[in-house]
């Protein structure tokens, strides 16, 4: 059953409880979400349960790898979840941030805060020549048309909160933004009240010897929480007392310091180290939260050390990483890849604050516009399900995708990119934000001049994703292929896989029908499954090895492509060579595999399908509107014992297996 996302924070917590195997939480959430967004009482109860599960997991993760492995072994027997625990049990390979690059922690946490004059908005004028003369948090949206429906919706959302009815996921920064749009004291009153609640709760937790909510799940929410504080302190500076400014600053400074000094993290003078998960991985969604907290705090406080550290270290690392990812998209896949909506927002804030355009220092942000246009299926309501799909296992377009495109459009410097983004925004199934906590992002302009895309093939070489279609009408046939790097924990063992769509899914990963959306093994993808002595050969994550794909475009969306998938395997116990050729033309996909396998290994060409297949003969089967025919070798046959999906946690759909080949297969997939 798919899950409806209800808030940015809750949406990112859902995978955690699923990892823990918390069946009762899953049942509760699914029941609560059956009619859309959670009911308020169910939301509160479920949120508390998720929070408890999250905190238990974070404690285990932050106290060491061995504890996590033992816990996960008890909690679940699935290999994917156990692997996640091992992966997330410690920081990335880099040991951490050098002590000399950060403020020295002492008893006075405000010692590193810039004491230069405070501007009326709450920001500061810096005398440090290494920084811009005036650094202040800019308004997070461009000038707003106050006669627009988007403004009316957002104002209504904030006004309801002011009246005492805070909608689910409502944030202090929304009230502060409303104050900038309409400077009425009531908006700052609410923003200050909410930040004060955050800080007071944190102080209570610290006084009790614990750690505050901002540190939960390895500081995943540090970005939204500290940006709420920093933005409110900037916009509503006149409504904050000197004592509040001191307390808020101490709390924010400690939170940011703890992120980058994970081994030495403290709260209230007590040691609270954590894993440092992804503090040095610009490709991971956690990293954007860490940078968000640091950026907002540096700009709001005027702390030149944080500013320089961010500029010279963490933003420089982002630039280097995405310069190596041409074509847009994310190596985490399309599920966690929506976190780029936050990355692009940071680019915009930095540009408006400093004049430095990080987004256009390389092509990634601009390329993400055509990436998501092509990753969207012809019916414009779903997208290519690549990697973990934890928010909603069924890859349906949601507010997050709309926000990502709005953010990317705001950074684009060419009318071609902007107008194609406008076309997509005007035609997808999500023509406006559906959840209140996302209303503010519809204030970003979608544009008025639309230009439909014309290219039928798009190869994002950075993440290794290829998309092709027969046209831009809703009845077009669409194809996606994965062949590239496998170097992120939310990516899957799907190198060489394909997805075929025409009106609906014809062949697609079975992961989209799972409860968790995190089934990443080879069993659930459309590729060749190699099994040696009863064990499925694993594709492995690697920063030094990557599959490759060479594409030769034709006309009308046709192409041939050659994939070298041997690098997907880090050892040669089962398979020593695997090449896959794709030929797509006339609404027909022909896949030719050649491989070399070791003694005791079998190779099965597998296709996951949404409906029960029918065996036409030993070499042909149909599944709904899909026909699968075996062309080579002569002795290969289709297994009539069609799998009912027991290889995922809730038995999702069906799989057609072609068996008998020892050196290769040629299989044709066409539409009935």
């Amino acid at each position: 059953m798919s899950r409806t996302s209800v808030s940015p924070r809750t949406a990112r917590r859902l995978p955690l409880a699923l990892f823990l195997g918390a069946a009762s939480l899953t049942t509760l959430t699914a029941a609560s979400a059956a009619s859309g967004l959670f009911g308020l009482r169910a939301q509160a109860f479920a949120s508390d349960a998720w929070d408890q599960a999250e905190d238990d997991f974070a404690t285990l993760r932050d106290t060491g790898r061995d504890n996590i492995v033992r816990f996960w072994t008890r909690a679940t027997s699935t290999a994917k979840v156990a692997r996640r625990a091992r992966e997330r049990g410690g920081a990335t390979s880099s040991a951490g941030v050098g002590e000399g690059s950060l403020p020295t922690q002492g008893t006075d946490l405000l010692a590193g805060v810039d004491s230069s004059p405070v501007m009326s908005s709450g920001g500061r004028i810096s005398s440090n020549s290494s920084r811009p003369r005036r650094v202040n948090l800019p308004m997070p949206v461009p000038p707003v048309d106050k006669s627009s429906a988007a403004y009316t919706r957002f104002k209504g959302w904030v006004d309801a909160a002011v009246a005492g009815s805070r909608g689910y996921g409502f944030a202090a920064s929304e009230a502060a933004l409303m104050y900038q749009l309409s400077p009425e004291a009531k908006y700052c009153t609410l923003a200050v009240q909410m930040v004060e609640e955050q800080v007071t709760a944190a102080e209570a937790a610290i006084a009790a010897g614990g750690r505050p909510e901002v540190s939960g799940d390895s500081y995943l929410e540090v970005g939204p929480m500290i940006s709420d504080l920093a933005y409110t302190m900037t916009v509503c500076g006149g409504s904050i007392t000197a004592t509040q400014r001191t307390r808020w600053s101490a709390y924010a400074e400690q939170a940011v310091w703890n992120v980058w000094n994970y081994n030495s993290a403290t709260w209230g003078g007590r040691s609270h180290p954590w894993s440092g998960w992804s503090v040095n991985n610009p490709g991971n969604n956690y990293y954007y939260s860490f940078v968000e907290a640091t950026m907002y705090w540096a700009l709001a406080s005027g702390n030149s050390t944080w500013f320089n550290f961010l500029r010279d270290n963490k933003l420089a690392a982002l630039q280097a990483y995405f310069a190596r990812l041409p074509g847009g998209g994310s190596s985490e896949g399309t599920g966690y890849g929506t976190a780029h909506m936050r990355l692009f927002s940071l680019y915009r804030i930095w540009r408006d604050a400093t004049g430095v355009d990080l987004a256009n220092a390389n092509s990634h942000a601009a390329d993400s516009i055509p990436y998501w246009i092509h990753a969207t299926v012809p019916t414009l309501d779903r997208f290519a399900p690549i990697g973990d799909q934890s928010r909603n296992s069924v890859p349906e377009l949601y507010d997050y995708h709309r926000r990502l495109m709005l953010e990317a459009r705001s950074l684009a410097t060419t009318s071609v990119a902007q107008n194609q983004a406008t076309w997509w925004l005007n035609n997808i199934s999500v023509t406006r934000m559906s959840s209140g906590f996302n209303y503010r992002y519809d204030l970003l302009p979608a544009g008025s001049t639309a230009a439909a895309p014309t290219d039928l093939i798009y190869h994002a070489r950075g993440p290794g994703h290829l998309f092709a279609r027969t046209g831009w009408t809703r009845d077009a046939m669409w194809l996606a292929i994965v062949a590239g790097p496998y170097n992120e924990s939310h990516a899957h063992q799907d190198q060489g896989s394909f997805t075929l769509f025409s009106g609906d899914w014809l062949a697609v990963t079975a992961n989209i029908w799972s409860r968790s959306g995190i089934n990443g093994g080879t069993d659930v993808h459309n590729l060749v499954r190699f099994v040696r002595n009863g064990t499925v050969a694993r594709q492995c994550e690697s920063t030094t090895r990557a599959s490759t794909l060479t594409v030769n475009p034709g006309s009308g969306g046709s192409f041939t492509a050659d994939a070298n998938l041997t690098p997907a395997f880090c050892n040669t116990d089962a398979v020593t060579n695997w090449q896959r050729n794709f030929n797509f033309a006339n609404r027909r996909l022909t896949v030719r595999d050649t491989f070399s396998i070791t003694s005791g290994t079998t190779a099965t060409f597998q296709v996951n399908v949404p409906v029960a297949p029918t065996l036409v003969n030993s070499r042909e089967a149909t599944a709904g509107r899909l026909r699968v025919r075996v062309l080579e070798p002569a002795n290969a046959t289709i297994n009539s014992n069609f799998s009912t999906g027991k290889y995922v946690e809730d038995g999702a759909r069906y799989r057609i297996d072609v068996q008998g080949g020892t050196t290769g297969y040629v299989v044709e997939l066409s539409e009935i």
Side-chain angles (χ1 to χ4, degrees):
M1 180 176 181
S2 64
R3 297 170 305 288
T4 302
S5 177
V6 294
S7 81
R9 188 171 303 172
T10 301
R12 287 189 290 271
R13 287 174 174 168
L14 291 180
L16 179 58
L18 291 164
F19 291 158
L20 295 173
S24 60
L25 296 181
T26 304
T27 302
L28 171 63
T29 304
S32 303
S35 61
L37 297 181
F38 289 169
L40 291 179
R41 294 186 64 182
Q43 282 180 24
F45 186 82
S47 181
D48 289 345
W50 291 122
D51 287 348
Q52 184 59 55
E54 170 196 276
D55 290 343
D56 291 345
F57 177 78
T59 298
L60 282 168
R61 178 168 63 196
D62 293 346
T63 54
R65 169 176 172 170
D66 293 340
N67 285 344
I68 302 168
V69 173
R70 287 195 294 271
F71 176 82
W72 282 51
T73 300
R74 293 194 303 269
T76 177
S77 60
T78 64
K80 173 66 179 281
V81 175
R83 180 174 71 90
R84 280 284 189 272
R86 290 194 298 272
E87 290 169 346
R88 297 178 61 163
T92 54
S93 58
S94 179
V97 180
E99 294 179 358
S101 63
L102 295 172
T104 301
Q105 185 184 32
T107 55
D108 181 5
L109 291 177
L110 298 181
V113 178
D114 197 330
S115 59
S116 54
V118 180
M119 295 184 293
S120 59
S121 63
R124 296 179 184 273
I125 300 172
S126 174
S127 59
N128 188 329
S129 61
S130 67
R131 301 176 60 201
R133 185 180 62 81
R134 179 182 182 276
V135 174
N136 188 30
L137 270 172
M139 189 168 173
V141 294
V144 174
D145 177 5
K146 294 186 179 181
S147 66
S148 67
Y151 175 81
T152 300
R153 281 194 303 272
F154 177 65
K155 185 177 186 301
W157 166 254
V158 179
D159 284 343
V162 169
S165 180
R166 297 182 195 173
Y168 194 79
F170 184 84
S173 54
E174 293 172 291
L177 172 58
M178 194 62 228
Y179 178 80
Q180 283 193 300
L181 296 173
S182 179
E184 300 174 58
K186 61 183 181 180
Y187 297 127
C188 270
T189 297
L190 176 59
V192 172
Q193 176 187 343
M194 293 183 69
V195 174
E196 179 64 23
E197 289 169 0
Q198 179 189 159
V199 176
T200 299
E203 290 169 336
I206 295 166
R211 53 183 187 168
E213 182 185 357
V214 73
S215 67
D217 193 7
S218 296
Y219 288 83
L220 175 60
E221 298 301 329
V222 69
M225 295 179 75
I226 298 304
S227 65
D228 264 6
L229 179 154
Y231 188 54
T232 299
M233 198 166 80
T234 298
V235 173
C236 302
S239 302
I240 301 170
T241 68
T243 299
Q244 283 178 314
R245 184 177 293 275
T246 298
R247 291 170 45 244
W248 292 13
S249 297
Y251 161 70
E253 181 73 16
Q254 188 68 66
V256 173
W257 196 92
N258 283 353
V259 165
W260 305 114
N261 291 270
Y262 50 89
N263 286 325
S264 306
T266 64
W267 287 107
R270 299 179 182 89
S271 178
H272 285 284
W274 63 286
S275 68
W277 169 252
S278 285
V279 296
N280 295 311
N281 182 5
N284 187 277
N285 60 96
Y286 277 66
Y287 191 92
Y288 314 140
S289 184
F290 303 157
V291 169
E292 179 182 5
T294 310
M295 181 180 295
Y296 272 78
W297 181 238
L299 293 174
S301 67
N303 185 320
S304 59
T305 303
W306 282 128
F307 184 96
N308 294 335
F309 167 72
L310 187 67
R311 180 195 60 198
D312 300 336
N313 189 323
K314 295 306 172 183
L315 293 180
L318 273 178
Q319 291 296 285
Y321 180 91
F322 285 107
R324 299 191 299 269
L325 210 66
S330 169
S331 292
E332 290 196 295
T334 53
Y336 280 84
T338 55
H340 286 172
M341 65 185 180
R342 301 175 69 184
L343 171 66
F344 297 161
S345 176
L346 294 174
Y347 286 162
R348 184 163 46 80
I349 292 296
W350 192 255
R351 178 198 65 192
D352 293 348
T354 70
V356 177
D357 187 359
L358 299 174
N360 291 290
N362 58 64
S363 68
H364 176 263
D367 288 347
S368 289
I369 291 176
Y371 176 95
W372 277 101
I373 290 174
H374 287 269
T376 305
V377 302
T379 51
L380 301 178
D381 57 352
R382 284 160 283 179
F383 58 90
I386 302 173
D388 284 348
Q389 304 292 326
S390 60
R391 185 194 66 81
N392 183 350
S393 57
V394 178
E396 299 166 328
L397 290 175
Y398 175 62
D399 293 2
Y400 295 163
H401 305 89
R402 182 172 184 82
R403 179 190 169 189
L404 186 153
M405 187 64 80
L406 286 167
E407 298 281 8
R409 185 187 179 281
S410 73
L411 300 170
T413 58
T414 69
S415 59
V416 172
Q418 292 172 342
N419 295 344
Q420 287 195 352
T422 296
W423 176 88
W424 187 88
L425 289 163
N426 290 346
N427 286 279
I428 60 170
S429 55
V430 186
T431 56
R432 47 158 285 191
M433 299 298 175
S434 60
S435 299
F437 55 80
N438 290 319
Y439 284 173
R440 68 174 116 172
Y441 304 114
D442 266 340
L443 298 176
L444 293 169
S448 57
T449 303
T454 56
D455 292 341
L456 300 177
I457 300 173
Y458 189 79
H459 185 197
R461 291 177 175 80
H465 304 158
L466 173 69
F467 308 108
R469 65 186 70 213
T470 58
W472 284 101
T473 57
R474 291 177 182 267
D475 61 352
M477 179 175 280
W478 172 95
L479 171 68
I481 295 171
V482 176
Y486 175 23
N487 54 14
E488 291 290 346
S489 62
H490 292 298
H492 283 187
Q493 298 176 54
D494 60 355
Q495 295 300 309
S497 68
F498 62 87
T499 303
L500 197 60
F501 183 99
S502 177
D504 206 340
W505 306 112
L506 299 181
V508 63
T509 170
N511 181 51
I512 76 168
W513 294 296
S514 65
R515 284 192 304 272
S516 66
I518 65 168
N519 291 265
T522 57
D523 299 53
V524 305
H525 295 289
N526 300 324
L527 37 70
V528 176
R529 183 176 78 253
F530 299 99
V531 180
R532 184 172 186 269
N533 298 329
T535 301
V536 178
R538 290 178 50 81
Q539 296 183 4
C540 63
E541 293 180 39
S542 174
T543 58
T544 59
R545 301 161 57 91
S547 300
T548 59
L549 185 68
T550 302
V551 182
N552 298 296
S555 60
S558 66
F559 69 87
T560 60
D562 295 301
N564 175 17
L565 304 164
T566 308
F569 301 91
C570 290
N571 61 62
T572 57
D573 292 346
V575 54
T576 58
N577 180 61
W578 179 26
Q579 310 291 319
R580 174 164 263 199
N581 171 269
F582 299 91
N583 188 311
F584 182 59
N586 301 317
R587 302 178 76 96
R588 188 184 309 271
L589 173 65
T590 303
V591 183
R592 177 180 295 272
D593 289 294
T594 56
F595 46 77
S596 300
I597 53 180
T598 61
S599 176
T601 299
T602 60
T604 302
F605 183 107
Q606 62 186 33
V607 183
N608 292 275
V609 292
V611 297
T614 298
L615 189 67
V616 177
N617 55 56
S618 63
R619 293 170 65 82
E620 181 177 341
T622 62
R625 293 170 45 243
L626 176 69
R627 174 182 287 112
V628 178
R629 289 201 308 144
V630 182
L631 304 183
E632 297 178 16
N635 66 325
T637 60
I638 294 178
N639 185 343
S640 61
N641 183 24
F642 299 117
S643 169
T644 55
K646 295 179 181 178
Y647 43 87
V648 294
E649 74 269 13
D650 54 350
R653 301 311 190 269
Y654 305 90
R655 187 177 67 202
I656 297 172
D657 285 348
V658 179
Q659 299 173 329
T662 56
T663 60
Y665 292 103
V666 179
V667 178
E668 177 190 89
L669 298 96
S670 60
E671 190 178 14
I672 298 174

